[in-house]
Amino acid sequence: MTAIPPVGVRPPCPPTPTTRASELKKLLNRLHPSPETLLLILSLLIGGVTGVGVVTFHYLIHLIHTLMLEDLMGLIPRGSPWALACIPTFGGVIIGLMRWRFQDFGPNISTLIAASQGLQELSPLKPITKMVAASVSLGSGASLGPEAPSVEIGANFGMLVAQVLQLSQDRQRLLLGAGAAAGIAAGFNAPIAGVFFALEVVLGSTFATSSISAVLLSAVVSALIAQICIGTQPAFALPVYEVRSSWELPLYMGLGLLASGVSIAYTEAIQLADRWFHGKTPGFGWLARIPRPIHPIMGGACVGLVALQLPQILGVGYETVEAMLQDVQFSLSLLLLLLGVKLAMTAVSLGSGLVGGIFAPAMFLGASLGSAYGIFLGMIPGISGHVAGPPAYAMVGMAAVLAGSARAPLTSILLMFELTRDYRIVLPLMAAVGLSVWLVELVNRRLTHSLNLQQMGLDVTVNQPPQPIEPLLEPFQDLEESFSDRLANGILACQISTDEFNIDEFNIDELNGQDIHDLPVLAVANGHLKEDVKSLP
């Protein structure tokens, strides 16, 4: 017999997340902390949780890698030539099943920043799902890196805290930057590079000097937890940098020139692979007709087949990079082959829907390029005894390619400086990185600040104009070609004068009766705006 509550009295309900959030806000209001104190407390919390999350992520990668290469390989008949190819393919099967079940793995960094600025709605956060997907991808041999998932662990938690407390957009972005800094700091054991990554890539010019302490504390706490759990050693055991002659600096600038070409080829390959798998390239339309969950299986199979001949391209690739830095003998032809194949397999892995970042592959490419460049210099008569060995050029090449690919020169320089802990490498690093980034920007003027987030592997549809969020705006997508006077430095919501084109070309009836002069239009960052363009209030 069921008890009926009295009239007017509601039965008790279980606590909801909104109720818990309200209770947390009431607690904070009772304590009356100042805004600065609250930010510092939250930054410590974000740093701690991010550090634990990144440590868990690394242990999960190691666990899946062990299960795949030891337990699963043991089930395959010994001596089978296809055994190694089965591992990335099986990882692709798991990712395909996850994509069929979850459709997407939550917002990336670009989406989180746009949401913190109020430019778009934030989709549900799924940090655990993406962390598991990235662990499976990397543990099974996908040619990607762990940095983007590490950053997203911190960024997702920072955004979650900001949403629970209903903070302002500026505070949301600050906590987002604190989480991103914590992710890089714990992932590389490089807190300084993590701080500059947040300032250079996530926050840009929007941060106040008084707010930098939140990013600093978050990075310190996260790196401290990673050191306690994983160890104090850096990501790479780098050799002592050797300076043979001050005349080497022009040679390092030559390496920066080559690094810019590799960076451009790298980002273009990522875009091309993404267009392939979406059927946007002539001759590849059939790929778009294949269900999306099948794409990771295809990507894993491609990586596995190539790994039968070049197993060095599997996974993160830190072991191969460290071998290059320790002056293990690689032939010039092998280094160039690894450079090209790693670039292609990273693009295929990312385009097919496997989960990971492009920091580690970029450093692999830079180390291969730098080692090959150093070997080539050693073959030139008369200068072989006056230049440093291939490992020195490999170190500088890593930073130059990373800076050109991720549009983060300061982060790249400070990351290598933290890993080497040698001041003598700074001048070659600055010369090569500066020239590489400058040449990349010179070649492709359309790149904007937001692309350094996309080219981390978080959103590979770079160099594509943003799509209008309302179907009503479709007639205006081709107006960019008519803008010719002034460069827009950001994505602007604006009103465009319609005096210079024929309104009758558009079907006004499809615009639901709205005045065409009042319709907002997204002017992309590389558009040239007329002087009579005015921003919406």
Side-chain angles (χ1 to χ4, degrees):
M1 182 173 173
T2 305
I4 301 177
V7 179
V9 178
R10 295 182 179 180
C13 298
T16 63
T18 304
T19 304
R20 297 190 184 99
S22 301
E23 292 176 355
L24 179 59
K25 291 182 65 176
K26 290 179 181 178
L27 175 62
L28 293 175
N29 290 334
R30 192 178 302 119
L31 296 176
H32 295 294
S34 65
E36 292 77 13
T37 303
L38 177 60
L39 279 178
L40 294 183
I41 294 173
L42 294 179
S43 66
L44 293 174
L45 176 64
I46 292 171
V49 173
T50 302
V52 173
V54 171
V55 169
T56 304
F57 175 53
H58 280 266
Y59 277 123
L60 195 56
I61 293 175
H62 178 72
L63 175 62
I64 294 176
H65 183 75
T66 302
L67 291 175
M68 290 285 187
L69 293 183
E70 294 182 7
D71 298 346
L72 184 59
M73 286 281 286
L75 300 177
I76 301 175
R78 184 167 297 180
S80 173
W82 305 101
L84 187 60
C86 293
I87 303 303
T89 306
F90 184 67
V93 171
I94 298 176
I95 298 301
L97 291 174
M98 293 183 68
R99 287 200 176 275
W100 171 76
R101 173 63 180 83
F102 298 104
Q103 300 300 320
D104 69 89
F105 297 145
N108 54 39
I109 290 291
S110 301
T111 305
L112 291 173
I113 291 181
S116 69
Q117 295 176 316
L119 298 179
Q120 68 181 74
E121 293 185 2
L122 183 63
S123 58
L125 300 175
K126 302 177 182 178
I128 304 299
T129 304
K130 180 167 285 190
M131 183 178 71
V132 173
S135 301
V136 173
S137 297
L138 299 174
S140 61
S143 184
L144 297 169
E147 302 78 23
S150 298
V151 170
E152 289 180 350
I153 290 172
N156 274 272
F157 185 71
M159 180 60 74
L160 179 62
V161 171
Q163 283 187 325
V164 168
L165 298 179
Q166 299 180 358
L167 301 180
S168 64
Q169 291 182 359
D170 291 339
R171 305 286 187 184
Q172 286 184 11
R173 192 164 185 181
L174 178 59
L175 295 184
L176 191 67
I184 290 290
F188 283 104
N189 192 16
I192 299 177
V195 169
F196 273 82
F197 173 80
L199 300 182
E200 184 178 29
V201 175
V202 180
L203 299 178
S205 60
T206 63
F207 70 94
T209 305
S210 59
S211 301
I212 194 174
S213 55
V215 178
L216 287 169
L217 288 177
S218 181
V220 168
V221 172
S222 180
L224 179 61
I225 292 177
Q227 290 177 6
I228 293 173
C229 299
I230 301 178
T232 58
Q233 69 279 4
F236 304 105
L238 299 181
V240 177
Y241 179 72
E242 182 181 11
V243 179
R244 293 286 184 88
S245 171
S246 58
W247 295 102
E248 276 193 276
L249 191 60
L251 299 179
Y252 284 107
M253 296 187 70
L255 178 58
L257 174 64
L258 296 176
S260 66
V262 172
S263 301
I264 294 172
Y266 185 35
T267 53
E268 289 294 325
I270 291 174
Q271 298 173 61
L272 181 61
D274 182 70
R275 291 196 296 268
W276 281 355
F277 282 96
H278 283 85
K280 297 179 181 179
T281 303
F284 289 88
W286 57 274
L287 280 175
R289 295 190 291 270
I290 298 176
R292 183 65 177 167
I294 304 297
H295 290 176
I297 304 176
M298 300 170 63
C302 289
V303 173
L305 291 174
V306 172
L308 294 176
Q309 297 298 323
L310 291 172
Q312 296 92 338
I313 60 96
L314 281 175
V316 179
Y318 282 171
E319 297 85 359
T320 304
V321 171
E322 189 158 348
M324 296 177 188
L325 295 174
Q326 296 299 328
D327 206 11
V328 175
Q329 294 301 314
F330 287 84
S331 65
L332 181 60
S333 58
L334 177 59
L335 289 170
L336 295 177
L337 182 61
L338 288 175
L339 175 65
V341 173
K342 182 70 174 181
L343 186 151
M345 289 301 100
T346 299
V348 169
S349 297
L350 206 57
S352 65
L354 298 173
V355 183
I358 69 166
F359 264 38
M363 290 190 289
F364 186 105
L365 298 178
S368 302
L369 174 66
S371 296
Y373 186 74
I375 292 175
F376 174 75
L377 292 179
M379 295 179 178
I380 301 177
I383 70 170
S384 58
H386 303 283
V387 296
Y393 289 94
M395 285 190 289
V396 176
M398 289 168 62
V401 174
L402 177 60
S405 303
R407 305 299 182 272
L410 295 178
T411 301
S412 303
I413 292 172
L414 288 168
L415 178 62
M416 295 308 301
F417 178 63
E418 277 195 279
L419 295 180
T420 59
R421 297 171 183 149
D422 191 337
Y423 180 77
R424 294 175 296 176
I425 199 176
V426 170
L427 286 181
L429 277 177
M430 293 175 65
V433 167
L435 183 61
S436 175
V437 173
W438 179 76
L439 288 174
V440 169
E441 295 290 346
L442 185 65
V443 170
N444 199 341
R445 293 287 190 181
R446 299 187 65 180
L447 290 174
T448 65
H449 175 73
S450 63
L451 297 184
N452 47 16
L453 299 171
Q454 296 169 323
Q455 297 194 3
M456 286 176 57
L458 309 175
D459 183 358
V460 296
T461 55
V462 294
N463 283 347
Q464 301 293 327
Q467 298 298 318
I469 58 177
E470 295 290 343
L472 298 176
L473 305 183
E474 292 179 0
F476 299 98
Q477 290 182 357
D478 297 328
L479 292 181
E480 177 188 354
E481 297 179 358
S482 67
F483 303 151
S484 58
D485 291 339
R486 193 176 66 204
L487 180 65
N489 292 322
I491 298 178
L492 305 176
C494 57
Q495 292 176 334
I496 295 182
S497 173
T498 57
D499 297 336
E500 298 183 10
F501 59 91
N502 187 5
I503 300 178
D504 295 332
E505 294 178 1
F506 303 103
N507 190 348
I508 304 298
D509 294 332
E510 296 180 357
L511 301 180
N512 296 331
Q514 297 189 41
D515 187 352
I516 195 171
H517 294 79
D518 296 332
L519 289 174
V521 177
L522 287 181
V524 295
N526 55 1
H528 294 71
L529 303 180
K530 289 290 188 181
E531 292 296 332
D532 59 349
V533 173
K534 61 179 181 179
S535 298
L536 286 173

